[in-house]
Amino acid sequence: MLPTLKRGVPVVEPMDAEQVERIHEASLSILEEVGVVFRDPIAIEDWKRVGADVRADDRVHLDRGLVMELIKTIPPNVEYFARDPAKNVELGGNKSIFVPMTGAPYMRDLDDVRRGPTIADLGTFHKLAHMMPALHSSAHHIVEPMDIVVAHRHLHITYSSIKHSDKIFMGMTTSPKNAEDVLDMCEILFGEGFLENHAVTTGNCNGNSPLVWDQVMLGGMRAFCRRNQPVLCSPFVLGGANTPASTAAAVAQLNAEALSALAYTQVVREGCPAIYGHYLSTVSMQSGAPMAGTPEISLMNFMIGQMARRYNVPWRTSNLLGGAKIFDAQAGYESAMTMMAVLLSGANYIWHSAGWNEAGMHCSIAKFVVDAEVCAMGYRMTQGIQWDDFDEALAAIRDVGPGGHYFGHPHTQANFEKAFFIPKLFDNNSVEQWYADGSKDIKQRALEHARRLLAEYEEPKLDVAKDEELRAYIDRRSREIPAVDALNEEY
Amino acid sequence: MLPTLKRGVPVVEPMDAEQVERIHEASLSILEEVGVVFRDPIAIEDWKRVGADVRADDRVHLDRGLVMELIKTIPPNVEYFARDPAKNVELGGNKSIFVPMTGAPYMRDLDDVRRGPTIADLGTFHKLAHMMPALHSSAHHIVEPMDIVVAHRHLHITYSSIKHSDKIFMGMTTSPKNAEDVLDMCEILFGEGFLENHAVTTGNCNGNSPLVWDQVMLGGMRAFCRRNQPVLCSPFVLGGANTPASTAAAVAQLNAEALSALAYTQVVREGCPAIYGHYLSTVSMQSGAPMAGTPEISLMNFMIGQMARRYNVPWRTSNLLGGAKIFDAQAGYESAMTMMAVLLSGANYIWHSAGWNEAGMHCSIAKFVVDAEVCAMGYRMTQGIQWDDFDEALAAIRDVGPGGHYFGHPHTQANFEKAFFIPKLFDNNSVEQWYADGSKDIKQRALEHARRLLAEYEEPKLDVAKDEELRAYIDRRSREIPAVDALNEEY
């Protein structure tokens, strides 16, 4: 696995300091004057306790002083601990990680067939995530395991993440009870008390934009905050549908929403890690569906990066998104435009970095492995320029002279691979060679590559006692939680 | 046509001031100590006349003072005049234009068949270039018209550019005689004496990297300089093959090469327009072929932008390059990664912006129209953030409030299209709708779109007298130049 990405190129900042303050002030005015709805009695009590102005039952008007005071205690950096300590990673400032996509109700499989996924399919994705060097996490429900009842799903998803990979993984926040189960399993894996001072997993709390946070998500968030585990505070932006038709105003709204949730994490537990999140899209007028790779998404990523840096909190974005129905050129354009903007925006927690197509409705195995390689390309670009052998390389220019060739020069032979990234899944042969190789498009090559990887996969074995304890936990909870197709909020 | 792109987002500058000077000093040392070969007796005489140190017949050692003095007179901006004055464009500083690809010996046609192109096919591409709003030029030999003898080709290529589009176009520099013919045709089109004070076309002078300029290219360059028409001074970088295996040293070499040619344009004619050029790739170890979209190409684009700005000269790069054999996801990733880096590098003359695949071996009609739309997306991003309706849009947030919808709000209805780019050729419908529409990939949709465009094409009629004069010129020159498959350097 590649270590934490340390950004060596500057970020793109399309707003000047005054414009950053304009967004900031607009967001704080929204929080004070429009307010944010927390559809959750516990959150309302919490807000009242810290002196927020709650009107109409659940509409919280947040004083700008209170918000800014609260978010001050969010740690600017997060150090994550993985089952394999060599795969620990860091977040914040110029440090970033790539995390695969999650949440797909469909998949495109090893034969490129679009179908409902199973827990075995999820295992396949966790294996691939484990093997791809640029992916720093096995995430959680990359695809939804439809063969497991909804109420038990989080247990099996978490076990699959843990079992198939020794990288960090994500934690389900689909209900407060589910979140507790995940955190209990983390406690088993890492040992009692470990979570209190070590981030090992990441929750996500999606907003109901505009300006609403719901009970289930807030309950999940609280579970993570109390156990000192980072949560992504993610307004869910469908630009033009649940925001104004203006990038600047959409960012002002999103920023207000993110600030309100970030502040709330600190009400729950002062000093707990929290990550400025968002899901970001603009919608098609025609279908109302979220689009990917549009110019406004790029601009909003740049802008949100500026806001998160203003508040000195780590931030999350979404990467390599495609709206295409298949793994065609559209998916390639959309994904790469997204990634380049994301990397140059300085995002820290770079989620949905592999597999996302059809606006998140499916995860494609072919796209998963290509995206992961494209992340490795982006990683290299973002590291910046290598200067260490500059003088040596200049000496080669003198040696070779006008009209010469560099392939045979010792400096070239020693440095070629380090100097220039050669993507495995992109074909750069002549057309004649490509014909001879079977005229395969990148989808075919990627699926063959995925099959090879899976054939070579070696499971990073869990400690036997821990494995047994995890299985026992799942068995017990599976008995306690009725096996129904509904999220468990009671047992 | 979209007007000249005026960049409203900052450029990415991965080098600090000291590193820029390090490259600069390295380049000047290369020019002084290693020297550059000008394989051309006239150029050697020119260099001797201005006091350069010429050794071993054709190796020119350029004093750093001389180089810097010479390039000072290059105009930092170029204003281009088109047949339709509404399509005049500008270059330099934060102003950029998109120009289609050129030079493809093969094409993929309206049925996606890969074959040799004809002059009629070239006309098809010129028509499409004319119709795509984000393309600012019809370029020249987008594809090579193989049905015309090599010696006469430049005449018919130039006529096709002029006839099918009233945008600016490029001028062939395949030989000094060819360049003169092109410029004579420009003189017919724009009127006697017009070229002397107006840029109407663009030549290109490719280097034989490392550190060689050849006679044919230099002759073409001189023809353009003498008539005061801009020339791209383009080192041809195959990173690792004809440069050291180091991005920083490759840029130092490229920069030395570009400076030597830029300086030479001013020896030919002080004050004539010239553009810092390059073709930029890294090569595959496996095939030796140029790759596209690699991290090092992105970094080198950022770096070259910094160098060109240091010298205050406009600069050229290549856009939306693909190495894929077909229009698959590989082509999409490569092209979009290239474009994002190019736009954020601040390049001015953004060549090869549509159609390039298979490392330039073919131009694809499907890719051409998609690339042109992706340029329009890039254009929008590069313009930056719209602030003009920010307060109005914030008012919409108050109107809509928590949990509301924006689609029905008057601000949304008035601003949606202006606020959010909706790509026509990207499918953002549901999968069900996509099935109902025939499950078409973007290639199929693009080819259908191209057919529709061509059916709707209206020729921007040439003035009849000028058209006759141009045809008479071509007829005369076709009689004077023997009809052979070799470049005309004599008649």
Side-chain angles (χ1 to χ4, degrees), chain A residues 154-234:
Chain A
H154 63 291
L155 300 166
H156 298 275
I157 290 167
T158 306
Y159 183 71
S160 179
S161 301
I162 292 172
K163 178 185 167 69
H164 294 108
S165 174
D166 52 16
K167 298 182 179 179
I168 60 163
F169 54 92
M170 294 186 75
M172 303 294 289
T173 45
T174 34
S175 80
K177 290 280 184 192
N178 288 359
E180 294 291 357
D181 283 337
V182 168
L183 295 165
D184 287 347
M185 290 174 75
C186 290
E187 195 96 4
I188 293 169
L189 183 66
F190 288 96
E192 213 184 311
F194 191 81
L195 272 61
E196 183 59 20
N197 296 303
H198 302 86
V200 303
T201 189
T202 312
N204 181 53
C205 180
N206 278 333
N208 288 2
S209 301
L211 300 166
V212 176
W213 297 97
D214 79 19
Q215 187 168 17
V216 172
M217 289 266 97
L218 289 169
M221 173 200 276
R222 274 194 298 270
F224 272 65
C225 293
R226 289 192 193 118
R227 309 274 277 260
N228 223 14
Q229 298 303 303
V231 179
L232 313 172
C233 300
S234 305

Side-chain angles (χ1 to χ4, degrees), chain B residues 376-389:
Chain B
M377 295 175 78
Y379 183 102
R380 186 76 84 89
M381 179 193 78
T382 309
Q383 286 183 297
I385 306 157
Q386 294 173 2
W387 289 96
D388 50 321
D389 66 336

Side-chain angles (χ1 to χ4, degrees), chain B residues 278-289:
Chain B
H278 65 79
Y279 168 79
L280 195 57
S281 70
T282 58
V283 301
S284 161
M285 265 293 220
Q286 209 181 344
S287 64

Side-chain angles (χ1 to χ4, degrees), chain A residues 341-363:
Chain A
V342 158
L343 291 173
L344 295 168
S345 69
N348 304 114
Y349 193 94
I350 308 181
W351 198 2
H352 300 318
S353 283
W356 180 290
N357 212 356
E358 199 194 324
M361 288 297 287
H362 79 248
C363 181

Side-chain angles (χ1 to χ4, degrees), chain A residues 9-10 12-15 19 22-23 26 29-30 33-35 37 59 114 210-212 239-249 252-253 282-287 289-291 293-296 298-299 302-303 320 323 325-330 332-337 339-341 344 358 367 370-371 374 377 380-381 384-387 389-391 393-394 397-398 400-407 411-412 415-416 419-423 425-429 431 434-435 441-442 445, chain B residues 9-10 12-15 19 22-23 26 29-30 33-35 37 59 114 210-212 239-249 252-253 282-287 289-291 293-296 298-299 302-303 320 323 325-330 332-337 339-341 344 358 367 370-371 374 377 380-381 384-387 389-391 393-394 397-398 400-407 411-412 415-416 419-423 425-429 431 434-435 441-442 445:
Chain A
V9 294
V12 173
E13 303 205 317
M15 295 190 287
Q19 289 165 332
R22 219 174 150 192
I23 296 283
S29 296
I30 291 167
E33 296 160 26
V34 182
V37 169
R59 193 144 162 179
R114 187 180 184 279
L211 300 166
V212 176
N242 65 14
T243 73
S246 148
T247 47
Q253 177 189 306
T282 58
V283 301
S284 161
M285 265 292 220
Q286 209 182 343
S287 64
M291 302 188 291
T294 65
E296 293 79 20
S298 297
L299 288 172
F302 298 145
M303 296 166 80
L320 285 157
K325 264 39 83 184
I326 49 174
F327 190 37
D328 65 357
Q330 176 182 339
Y333 284 101
E334 293 173 322
S335 300
M337 284 193 278
M339 183 186 76
M340 292 293 280
L344 295 168
E358 199 194 324
K367 188 168 188 292
V370 176
D371 283 348
V374 171
M377 296 174 77
R380 186 76 83 89
M381 179 193 78
I385 306 157
Q386 294 174 1
W387 289 96
D389 65 337
F390 184 56
D391 291 328
L394 289 179
I397 297 175
R398 287 164 201 273
V400 169
H405 296 285
Y406 286 83
F407 271 145
H411 177 270
T412 309
N415 291 279
F416 196 97
F420 300 123
F421 191 98
I422 301 188
L425 294 171
F426 287 4
D427 183 284
N428 283 297
N429 290 326
V431 76
W434 180 76
Y435 290 145
D441 71 1
I442 193 170
R445 298 194 304 271
Chain B
V9 295
V12 172
E13 303 206 316
M15 295 190 287
Q19 289 166 333
R22 218 173 150 192
I23 296 283
S29 296
I30 291 167
E33 296 160 27
V34 182
V37 169
R59 194 145 161 179
R114 187 181 184 279
L211 299 166
V212 177
N242 65 13
T243 74
S246 148
T247 48
Q253 178 189 305
T282 58
V283 301
S284 161
M285 265 293 220
Q286 209 181 344
S287 64
M291 302 188 291
T294 65
E296 294 79 21
S298 297
L299 288 172
F302 298 145
M303 295 167 81
L320 285 157
K325 263 39 84 185
I326 49 174
F327 190 38
D328 64 357
Q330 175 181 340
Y333 284 102
E334 293 172 322
S335 300
M337 283 193 279
M339 184 187 75
M340 292 293 280
L344 294 168
E358 199 193 323
K367 188 168 187 290
V370 176
D371 283 348
V374 171
M377 295 175 78
R380 186 76 84 89
M381 179 193 78
I385 306 157
Q386 294 173 2
W387 289 96
D389 66 336
F390 184 57
D391 291 328
L394 289 179
I397 297 176
R398 285 164 202 273
V400 169
H405 296 284
Y406 285 83
F407 271 146
H411 177 270
T412 309
N415 291 279
F416 196 97
F420 300 123
F421 190 99
I422 300 189
L425 294 171
F426 287 5
D427 183 284
N428 283 296
N429 290 325
V431 75
W434 180 77
Y435 289 145
D441 71 0
I442 193 170
R445 298 194 304 271

Side-chain angles (χ1 to χ4, degrees), chain A residues 116-121 144-150 153 485:
Chain A
T118 63
I119 189 72
D121 293 319
E144 277 292 325
M146 298 295 193
D147 53 341
I148 294 180
V149 290
V150 171
R153 218 172 257 176
D485 269 334

Side-chain angles (χ1 to χ4, degrees), chain B residues 230-293:
Chain B
V231 179
L232 313 172
C233 300
S234 305
F236 198 90
V237 164
L238 303 163
N242 65 13
T243 74
S246 148
T247 48
V251 170
Q253 178 189 305
L254 180 159
N255 188 52
E257 293 166 345
L259 287 174
S260 69
L262 288 166
Y264 182 58
T265 63
Q266 304 304 299
V267 173
V268 177
R269 176 171 174 158
E270 190 179 313
C272 74
I275 297 171
Y276 186 129
H278 65 79
Y279 168 79
L280 195 57
S281 70
T282 58
V283 301
S284 161
M285 265 293 220
Q286 209 181 344
S287 64
M291 302 188 291

